[in-house]
Amino acid sequence: MATAPYTRPMLPPDTFRGTTILVTGGGTGLGRAMGQYLLSLGANLAVCGRRREVVEQAAAEMAEASGGQTLALPCDVREPEQVEAMLAAVRERFGRLDALVNNAAGNFVCPTERLSYNAFNAVVDIVLKGTYNCTLAVGKQWIEEKTPGTVLNISTTYAWTGSGYVVPSAVSKAGALVMVRSLASEWGKYGIRINAIAPGSFPTEGAWSRLRPEELGDDDKLDRIPLHRYGEHQELANLAAYLLSDFSAYITGACITIDGGAWLRGAGMFNELERVSSEQWDAVQAAVKKRREG
Ligand code: HXC
Ligand code: NAP
């Protein structure tokens, strides 16, 4: 069978030649998938995460697979001093930074009333504070140097719907999305574009282990996705690369949803009627017709 187009690379291979991109949380999951693709399109890639061995191993493997340049940066994005030091290391190695992907996140499912203050802070500090720490640090640099730049936030659809059981993540993703929309306006004059992607379900070890613990049972969400499949990492990487590239030069302040229609399925009041069979509809229509006629 032919490979589905969404599992294939999309952009010309020299799209990012001579540019440097930093992906936070780029040692695992979706961050790693995006980084691997950006490298294959010619970018120099800097990846950060808190666990030194994870980012170092990922950076080495990705460089070997692509023949490109990578830099592993152990960094906790919650700490502004560590973020500043990370940017200095990128500058020292590659000269400058052209784009930032705010991908690092923390999350877990838990009834909100069971959360300690520390648990709430643990997620907000990574997802909201970490995102603005990195964005502020690169933005200041670009504005001072009078050079353009691009920021991409990895958000989620509950940034605007909200969601129970992941409230610290939801409030953080919502705040970060408002930052995207605010800065698109404020920093456009400096040539800085800032966008977001809201992925639906893309299987990763990090997300699945924390959001679908096996003790909760096998709650298959495929029925709630109109396109009836999970996302492929490459199709997310394709979208991320497009939004980071000059092919999207007129797009800023946007949040592009890539979820197979899942959030709308949950929102539409009558979408649950999908469970009604064709025979049941025959019976319903016959009964309604009979009532109308007499
Ligand atoms: C309740 C929990 C908890 C849980 C931790 N805590 N896990 N409370 N339920 N499952 C509490 C702890 O008891 C502690 O509070 C506080 O949170 C901090 O915990 P630490 O383990 O000390 O924090 P830290 O080492 O900073 O780890 C942060 C973390 C962890 C978020 C808790 O899971 C992590 O490192 N995550 C990084 C990767 C990740 O989460 N990836 C998934 C992203 S998926 P006390 O009061 O006891 O001190 C994603 C998908 C979004 O974002 C959209 C999906 C559709
Ligand atoms: P993941 O593999 O767990 O990725 C999270 C990454 O963030 C890890 O590499 C982690 O590394 C890093 N990180 C966490 N805290 C950090 C900190 N304080 N400083 C620096 N790095 C930190 O999960 P994922 O599924 O790929 O998620 C990636 C992004 O996609 C997240 O923004 C998530 O919200 C978003 N998303 C995912 C899905 C999905 O279905 N997978 C859906 C919607 C949105 P360390 O632990 O080593 O720091």
Side-chain angles (χ1 to χ4, degrees), residues 271-291:
N271 288 338
E272 69 189 62
L273 292 180
E274 181 160 277
R275 68 181 152 72
V276 177
S277 70
S278 188
E279 292 72 28
Q280 283 175 298
W281 279 121
D282 289 344
V284 169
Q285 286 189 298
V288 169
K289 189 165 178 242
K290 206 167 154 195
R291 277 203 294 277

Side-chain angles (χ1 to χ4, degrees), residues 24-32 34 48-52 54-55 75-79 102-107 122 125-127 130 153-158 169 173 197-208 210-211 233 236:
T24 67
T28 64
L30 302 182
R32 180 164 172 164
M34 289 186 282
C48 89
R50 290 165 300 178
R51 290 165 297 167
R52 172 181 291 277
V54 171
V55 280
C75 169
D76 188 332
V77 295
R78 293 174 288 194
E79 303 298 334
N102 284 312
N103 168 79
N107 202 359
D125 283 355
I126 300 170
V127 181
N153 274 20
I154 307 305
S155 187
T156 158
T157 55
Y158 58 59
S169 172
K173 293 286 191 184
I197 292 176
S201 289
F202 284 73
T204 66
E205 158 66 24
W208 254 232
R210 293 174 176 91
L211 301 176
H233 289 195
L236 180 78

